[in-house]
Amino acid sequence: MTTLSVVLATFHGARWLPDQLASLADQTRRPDELVVSDDGSDDGTPEILADFARRAPFDVRVLQGPRTGLADNFRHALTASCGDVIAWCDQDDVWLPAKLARCLDTLDETGADLVHHAARVVDADAESLGFNHPDPRRTICLEPLQGDPWHVPSGFATVFRRSLLDGLRHGRGLDRAAWETRPNSHQTLRRMNHDHVVSLVAFARGRRCELAEELALYRQHGANAAGAPTVRGAAAWWGALSIGADEFAVRAAAARGYGIWLQSAGIGSGAYFERLARRWERRAETYRDTDGAALPVRVTRGLGALARRATGHHDYTSTDRGGMGAAALAKDALATVIGTH
């Protein structure tokens, strides 16, 4: 029988934690254990956890966290867990009753190594804000190296098989050597968080399924460790237009870092990420070559480069195939002509 561990990191979560713990107890498929790492809370969180542990309908273990940040706190709980399947859990959300059952069924039915699902974004009082995050529009399954390599499934919406982390060259799972050498994230430019590390490994070596079903309430209260996107619609498009060569160079460096780390861990796929890095380096070079140039030069250099990259290197193929997509081609052409990026 498959065993299931819920891995929860807490820090000053007393205001929200009771709702999340209650939603764990209300699961139609309850976890076999809840492993909590608390990072030194002094707001009543330890007392809430102790009370829940006494009455929970499953085993609860509460650990003293390392007090070195969110990612280390989650990893600390993960290494103490025993389940065949792991569900990341944040302290301030609410899981809908069918979450664990649906995710386990999906893993079993599809043979996937990781599944993530849609979630309804709500305010501090759990009132809907009218959109989902994550928001997969349809249920799909992806093989290794398929899909958008920059997509990082939110941890609270992710359930994965422990075996996904087995066989890393450094040792079993996220041992200290693998953890301390993990690359910087393209999102934060800092060392990857726990959920990003697992999703990168899953992208490179595992089968992933995206569920369009809403299975959690993602609470936004102004003090989230990570929040849902707040810039939407026209503002998001304008923000995308303002991104230029420096940001593309950062993306290239991130891709190369991912490939190097995966190779060092014995997973492979370094060649894939090197191609990805070169694709973004070419994009950065085009912007630098045309920056500040007169219109005839921009058109000659810029549009010529875009044509070569679109046809010779297939840089603008679908994002699901590791390309930059048609929207990127439109942005680059516009920036080349008007000289604004």
Side-chain angles (χ1 to χ4, degrees):
M1 176 182 176
T2 300
T3 55
L4 170 63
S5 297
V6 171
V7 170
L8 169 63
T10 59
F11 180 66
H12 291 165
R15 181 177 177 185
W16 320 109
L17 191 55
D19 288 348
Q20 178 64 292
L21 295 175
S23 75
L24 297 183
D26 288 343
Q27 292 293 299
T28 58
R29 198 298 192 186
R30 289 171 174 161
D32 296 289
E33 66 171 0
L34 168 64
V35 180
V36 188
S37 181
D38 182 70
D39 236 7
S41 301
D42 58 9
D43 65 339
T45 292
E47 291 77 12
I48 292 171
L49 291 171
D51 176 67
F52 183 73
R54 286 190 292 269
R55 56 186 174 80
F58 41 78
D59 182 50
V60 178
R61 286 182 286 143
V62 181
L63 316 173
Q64 294 299 313
R67 304 194 184 192
T68 51
L70 172 74
D72 286 345
N73 201 23
F74 265 106
R75 176 186 171 273
H76 186 238
L78 172 66
T79 57
S81 67
C82 301
D84 302 315
V85 172
I86 307 296
W88 298 125
C89 183
D90 291 349
Q91 65 185 6
D92 47 6
D93 302 317
V94 176
W95 289 3
L96 300 184
K99 172 188 161 90
L100 292 179
R102 284 293 300 122
C103 289
L104 280 175
D105 286 347
T106 300
L107 291 174
D108 289 341
E109 292 165 2
T110 65
D113 300 287
L114 180 148
V115 59
H116 67 99
H117 58 77
R120 189 184 319 147
V121 182
V122 298
D123 65 14
D125 298 317
E127 295 295 327
S128 176
L129 294 178
F131 61 99
N132 284 355
H133 179 80
D135 191 20
R137 299 305 177 91
R138 58 193 177 94
T139 295
I140 59 172
C141 289
L142 299 166
E143 301 300 330
L145 303 181
Q146 286 185 345
D148 183 355
W150 304 112
H151 175 56
V152 182
S154 298
F156 78 93
T158 298
V159 176
F160 64 96
R161 297 185 192 275
R162 181 185 296 275
S163 58
L164 182 65
L165 301 177
D166 286 350
L168 302 188
R169 185 171 292 159
H170 297 302
R172 186 178 188 273
L174 289 179
D175 71 354
R176 186 158 297 280
W179 183 248
E180 291 184 349
T181 59
R182 72 194 189 278
N184 288 343
S185 167
H186 68 275
Q187 296 177 320
T188 65
L189 307 186
R190 299 189 300 272
R191 288 286 184 89
M192 283 182 169
N193 278 338
H194 57 290
D195 48 357
H196 195 170
V197 171
V198 169
S199 69
L200 177 64
V201 173
F203 179 83
R205 76 186 313 187
R207 192 162 201 253
R208 296 111 58 218
C209 282
E210 301 177 352
L211 284 179
E213 299 171 52
E214 292 180 0
L215 295 175
L217 306 182
Y218 186 23
R219 196 194 305 263
Q220 299 298 291
H221 48 73
N224 300 73
T230 56
V231 180
R232 302 170 65 79
W237 278 99
W238 182 253
L241 288 173
S242 69
I243 295 172
D246 290 345
E247 290 84 1
F248 301 148
V250 167
R251 188 65 65 96
R256 188 162 284 121
Y258 295 171
I260 290 171
W261 184 80
L262 288 166
Q263 286 293 127
S264 73
I267 297 173
S269 69
Y272 173 95
F273 283 96
E274 180 60 27
R275 288 194 300 272
L276 190 64
R278 290 178 181 173
R279 184 165 279 160
W280 286 85
E281 285 173 340
R282 286 191 291 268
R283 193 177 188 193
E285 289 166 4
T286 298
Y287 274 63
R288 292 195 180 102
D289 287 346
T290 59
D291 188 24
L295 178 59
V297 175
R298 290 201 305 271
V299 172
T300 302
R301 290 181 183 173
L303 296 185
L306 297 188
R308 290 191 298 274
R309 284 162 42 207
T311 57
H313 298 291
H314 306 289
D315 286 356
Y316 295 106
T317 189
S318 165
T319 54
D320 285 344
R321 297 173 59 189
M324 294 178 291
L329 176 59
K331 169 192 158 40
D332 293 354
L334 178 62
T336 296
V337 172
I338 68 176
T340 300
H341 42 76

